[in-house]
Amino acid sequence: MIHEKSPYLLQHAHNPVDWYPWGAEAFRKAHEEDKPIFLSAGYSTCHWCHVMERESFENEAIAAQINRDFVAVKLDREERPDIDRIYMLFVQATTGSGGWPMSVWMTPDLKPFYGGTYFPPDNRYGRPGFGYVLQQLAQAWKEQREKLVSSSISILGELESHSQVQSAGTEIERGAFDSSYHYFRRTFDTHHGGFGQAPKFPRPSVLDFLFRYSVTAKEEEAREMALTTLREMAKGGMHDHLGGGFHRYSVDERWFVPHFEKMLYDQAQLASSYLEAYQVTRDEAFADVARGIFEYVLRDMTHPEGGFLSAEDADSVIDPANLHEKGEGAFYVWTMEELKQLLGADRALAFAQKYGCRENGNVDNDPHAEFTGKNILFLKDSYPAEEFGKERQILLEARSKRIRPHLDDKVLASWNGLMISAFAKGGQVLNERRYLDAALKALGFIRGRLMVDGKLMRRWRDGEAAVAGFLDDYAALAQACVDVYEATFDEAQLAFGKTLALSMLELFEDKQNGGFYSTAGDSDELVLRLKEDYDGAEPAGNSVAAGALLRLAEYCGLEPLKEAAGDTLAAFASRINQQGVTIPRMLCAVLESQAPKSEVKFTGEAEPLIQEFRKHFRPFTSVHWDRTGAASAMVCEDFVCQPAVATAEELSQLLGPTPIVSSQGNF
């Protein structure tokens, strides 16, 4: 594995386990030696993946067990989400839960028969020990093979039947949106924002839906749920108050103690959510959070050539004198003594009062004693804490001298698409050219490095583009092209988006039943071909594809794109009606497809008018610009156009009243 490019695989290259990357060599070895395959899937910034490596994969005795009885395969689930999704579906179906590291045992023909997630090295935490599991499965393979194979075939059949998504002539009901809204209303945490109880994950696709539902249904409470969630997240320890950006999730209900890894897809989607909150409210605090995300990504997660890098680890070095000992969030936490040394006693005490720091540490519920005597910064009251800007800068500079968490520096097409969209929107809404330039540079990087012989690759790292692109790669980048077009009015960006969309139809569309498979149909490595249908930490490829196709069809006038979008929504109609809450990003696409036609046409030197338009939250409005003639803007709704106007004030009146900043003011 030392020759692989994946940072995750390279992390395991020196384990005593005889790992193989997913591929023909491993499969051939399993057949020749008549051994089952042990698949371990994870990613390089995964905390529990590191734990299982230290406890089991670096353990000589356990490694000997694996090497004797199994063919061991390591998979980077970020590079190969197609494989990961299939076996994660199996794990969830057979155990009731999922997560990483994912551990699956399968036949040499890749049919799974047993799975789980993290296994401790011996019996603990109510989980069977990994060594015991290995022993039992090796024995079962020798003595009960027919039973294992039969059960795996049966389970795969059930998974295939349950994963079928196709049109059955069902119409999408208006009540689907109302029932989804009421579900989110029932599960909304009125005190801390977010939905449900701890742990709390950001799920921006829900916020996308609530903002759009509030427009179509004139439901202010939907908007306020989204705004409250964004306010409380910004105040919490999940938000990096010094360096900008957000950690993966919060282990508690109040966004205080995070799981400290930072993922590019979270930064991208949350930046877009904060921009929309700013448009809705004109509250500068929302814009401030979005700027913090963008500055973090530009500073710490951008390749010199423009592509955006994938993630930063949750674990980091605790003591520079001991580089091998790492702890969760060590890079981010502070003792009171450190604050006093850096800020001076008086300012340190004032800062501590604002940011919830205490002499003996501020994490009371610390089951693994990771934060003893340490403080996680969070705002006890309103955001932003403008009076402490100097102090934050001092701490950021001091923190930058610490040993940074591991950086996963691969460039993934789909995550870059999401981030390009966010930067393009940031350039528009915040009127910041640097953000638009970042979007353009990243899109140029994708075109120059990840397009190979007209085909999109998923991953680039260290000079190598690899892994044929999946549905979510094509969809996210097609969507990004539309967002960049709306920021630049450059037809070349739209043309690239159209090319990606047409390739997407060719490679992934289910012509018979509608919707898109996650993978192309030419792979013999996959025991199932799935249609992704859950908007979780990342939006599902089908959801993004439907929205991107609708917008491209509006601008390009290509009927096949509009038809494919309609077929996708029809294929998911039953899911939308019965479980719309699982695919809120697709609900947004349905709302877009049903919204009355809305467009604004600019002419001449219209930059001030365009900038006025961008201050407003108009999610279903297309924009056009003819640079000839006198400066003007014409607003057309449902095929009825208002007289053209020439000033920003007149356009603002046509677009709707200036929003009133929420009564809560700065959060």
Side-chain angles (χ1 to χ4, degrees):
M1 292 215 297
I2 200 67
H3 302 296
E4 293 295 311
K5 296 292 188 182
S6 160
Y8 179 60
L9 268 57
L10 291 172
Q11 284 176 347
H12 292 266
H14 298 288
N15 294 165
V17 177
D18 186 15
W19 293 113
Y20 286 79
W22 178 272
E25 186 179 2
F27 309 153
R28 183 167 56 250
K29 179 179 172 68
H31 275 290
E32 289 174 354
E33 299 183 8
D34 194 28
K35 292 179 180 178
I37 292 169
F38 165 57
L39 173 68
S40 175
Y43 52 102
S44 79
T45 59
C46 163
H47 172 73
W48 286 101
C49 300
H50 301 329
V51 173
M52 193 165 176
E53 178 186 19
R54 287 194 301 269
E55 293 178 339
S56 295
F57 303 144
E58 293 178 351
N59 181 306
E60 295 284 351
I62 290 178
Q65 268 187 285
I66 297 173
N67 296 338
R68 182 186 67 237
D69 297 324
F70 305 95
V71 174
V73 172
K74 261 290 170 194
L75 182 80
D76 185 333
R77 55 94 39 183
E78 294 171 349
E79 280 194 357
R80 296 300 304 264
D82 56 330
I83 300 164
D84 181 75
R85 284 181 190 127
I86 291 170
Y87 296 107
M88 184 59 73
L89 187 64
F90 167 79
V91 170
Q92 290 169 331
T94 53
T95 71
S97 62
W100 296 277
M102 176 177 68
S103 306
V104 176
W105 288 262
M106 62 186 77
T107 70
D109 294 321
L110 313 181
K111 294 178 173 60
F113 57 81
Y114 188 79
T117 53
Y118 161 78
F119 289 93
D122 44 42
N123 297 343
R124 64 175 80 156
Y125 313 132
R127 295 170 180 259
F130 190 54
Y132 174 78
V133 171
L134 291 170
Q135 178 186 348
Q136 293 298 306
L137 290 175
Q139 186 174 344
W141 180 254
K142 292 174 182 174
E143 299 175 1
Q144 304 177 50
R145 183 179 310 189
E146 286 188 13
K147 184 177 178 181
L148 291 180
V149 172
S150 175
S151 70
S152 72
I153 293 172
S154 173
I155 292 169
L156 280 174
E158 289 183 30
L159 293 179
E160 187 167 24
S161 65
H162 284 302
S163 62
Q164 293 302 312
V165 175
Q166 61 187 47
S167 175
T170 305
E171 295 291 326
I172 296 173
E173 302 165 1
R174 172 65 217 184
F177 307 106
D178 300 331
S179 63
S180 293
Y181 161 64
H182 285 295
Y183 170 84
F184 292 126
R185 189 170 179 266
R186 285 194 306 275
T187 58
F188 179 64
D189 182 339
T190 56
H191 295 290
H192 306 294
F195 305 88
Q197 300 174 337
K200 275 189 179 165
F201 292 79
R203 196 176 165 211
S205 56
V206 173
L207 308 180
D208 294 344
F209 166 69
L210 291 173
F211 278 138
R212 284 152 183 77
Y213 180 82
S214 72
V215 171
T216 60
K218 306 292 189 291
E219 181 56 72
E220 292 187 10
E221 194 172 349
R223 179 193 67 205
E224 287 302 319
M225 287 194 295
L227 294 175
T228 298
T229 298
L230 291 168
R231 285 191 191 98
E232 294 303 314
M233 282 178 55
K235 288 160 58 177
M238 210 184 85
H239 182 203
D240 182 352
H241 292 275
L242 302 182
F246 284 82
H247 301 295
R248 178 73 277 271
Y249 64 88
S250 169
V251 301
D252 55 62
E253 75 286 349
R254 60 191 180 103
W255 312 106
F256 169 41
V257 180
H259 181 45
F260 280 92
E261 66 188 314
K262 283 181 166 180
M263 311 301 296
L264 184 68
Y265 56 74
D266 284 325
Q267 315 313 318
Q269 294 177 90
L270 287 170
S272 294
S273 294
Y274 279 98
L275 291 171
E276 292 188 348
Y278 176 54
Q279 288 178 310
V280 167
T281 64
R282 304 287 171 89
D283 187 337
E284 283 291 334
F286 289 113
D288 182 59
V289 178
R291 289 188 186 97
I293 295 172
F294 291 138
E295 296 304 324
Y296 160 63
V297 172
L298 289 174
R299 183 183 66 244
D300 296 331
M301 295 189 72
T302 302
H303 189 277
E305 295 180 37
F308 300 119
L309 310 178
S310 291
E312 286 194 298
D313 210 322
D315 296 355
S316 43
V317 171
I318 300 170
D319 179 357
N322 183 0
L323 297 178
H324 296 292
E325 185 180 349
K326 296 182 179 181
E328 170 96 12
F331 180 76
Y332 298 98
V333 296
W334 301 87
T335 65
M336 276 298 295
E337 186 59 33
E338 287 173 318
L339 297 180
K340 290 173 184 177
Q341 288 177 359
L342 290 163
L343 305 179
D346 291 344
R347 288 306 288 171
L349 290 174
F351 183 89
Q353 178 65 26
K354 184 71 174 180
Y355 282 92
C357 302
R358 301 198 303 247
E359 199 68 45
N360 297 318
N362 64 0
V363 182
D364 296 325
N365 184 13
D366 186 13
H368 301 291
E370 293 172 299
F371 306 111
T372 302
K374 304 294 179 64
N375 291 281
I376 298 170
L377 302 184
F378 77 102
L379 281 167
K380 295 174 67 177
D381 43 50
S382 62
Y383 180 97
E386 294 170 337
E387 69 272 30
F388 289 103
K390 180 180 178 182
E391 286 78 6
R392 288 199 305 273
Q393 189 59 37
I394 291 171
L395 295 179
L396 178 62
E397 289 175 7
R399 195 180 79 178
S400 69
K401 296 181 176 69
R402 297 175 176 176
I403 298 173
R404 291 195 68 86
H406 157 71
L407 172 68
D408 188 317
D409 60 354
K410 65 179 178 286
V411 176
L412 295 176
S414 63
W415 296 8
N416 269 251
L418 296 174
M419 198 71 239
I420 291 166
S421 286
F423 269 111
K425 293 174 185 175
Q428 296 176 68
V429 175
L430 303 176
N431 196 21
E432 178 56 74
R433 180 70 205 192
R434 286 191 310 125
Y435 299 157
L436 177 56
D437 287 344
L440 290 167
K441 190 174 180 180
L443 194 53
F445 180 94
I446 298 295
R447 297 186 72 165
R449 297 285 186 272
L450 275 87
M451 294 297 296
V452 179
D453 297 329
K455 295 285 183 69
L456 176 64
M457 297 289 110
R458 175 167 176 80
R459 186 267 290 153
W460 182 93
R461 183 177 182 272
D462 195 21
E464 179 193 80
V467 187
F470 304 113
L471 170 63
D472 49 350
D473 297 308
Y474 281 84
L477 283 167
Q479 172 185 256
C481 289
V482 182
D483 289 317
V484 171
Y485 169 75
E486 290 185 341
T488 61
F489 297 93
D490 179 0
E491 296 285 343
Q493 310 296 346
L494 210 55
F496 183 46
K498 181 174 70 174
T499 298
L500 289 169
L502 291 173
S503 296
M504 184 172 75
L505 266 61
E506 178 184 343
L507 292 169
F508 308 107
E509 188 181 17
D510 181 347
K511 306 286 187 187
Q512 183 175 349
N513 299 306
F516 294 89
Y517 293 106
S518 298
T519 55
D522 57 357
S523 174
D524 56 1
E525 297 180 344
L526 305 180
V527 293
L528 286 177
R529 197 176 179 208
L530 302 175
K531 292 181 183 175
E532 196 185 355
D533 59 354
Y534 179 71
D535 297 324
E538 302 171 57
N542 273 286
S543 299
V544 179
L549 289 170
L550 286 168
R551 295 172 69 200
L552 278 166
E554 172 66 26
Y555 285 118
C556 300
L558 278 181
E559 195 61 30
L561 302 186
K562 188 174 182 179
E563 288 178 0
D567 290 344
T568 300
L569 298 180
F572 284 87
S574 294
R575 180 66 55 87
I576 290 168
N577 291 338
Q578 296 167 17
Q579 295 177 301
V581 295
T582 64
I583 42 175
R585 187 66 174 268
M586 189 168 288
L587 294 180
C588 296
V590 179
L591 291 175
E592 174 131 3
S593 73
Q594 295 178 349
K597 187 174 178 63
S598 175
E599 53 188 341
V600 179
K601 302 175 182 178
F602 300 101
T603 60
E605 299 295 322
E607 285 86 351
L609 294 166
I610 293 171
Q611 197 51 47
E612 176 60 39
F613 169 77
R614 289 170 174 168
K615 295 177 182 177
H616 295 257
F617 182 59
R618 302 277 299 199
F620 309 124
T621 300
S622 60
V623 288
H624 308 270
W625 188 12
D626 180 353
R627 289 176 169 82
T628 61
S632 70
M634 181 182 292
V635 178
C636 302
E637 304 281 4
D638 206 10
F639 300 100
V640 176
C641 296
Q642 301 296 320
V645 296
T647 69
E649 292 76 13
E650 291 173 310
L651 177 58
S652 181
Q653 289 180 355
L654 287 177
L655 294 174
T658 300
I660 300 171
V661 174
S662 169
S663 58
Q664 297 184 43
N666 284 358
F667 31 110

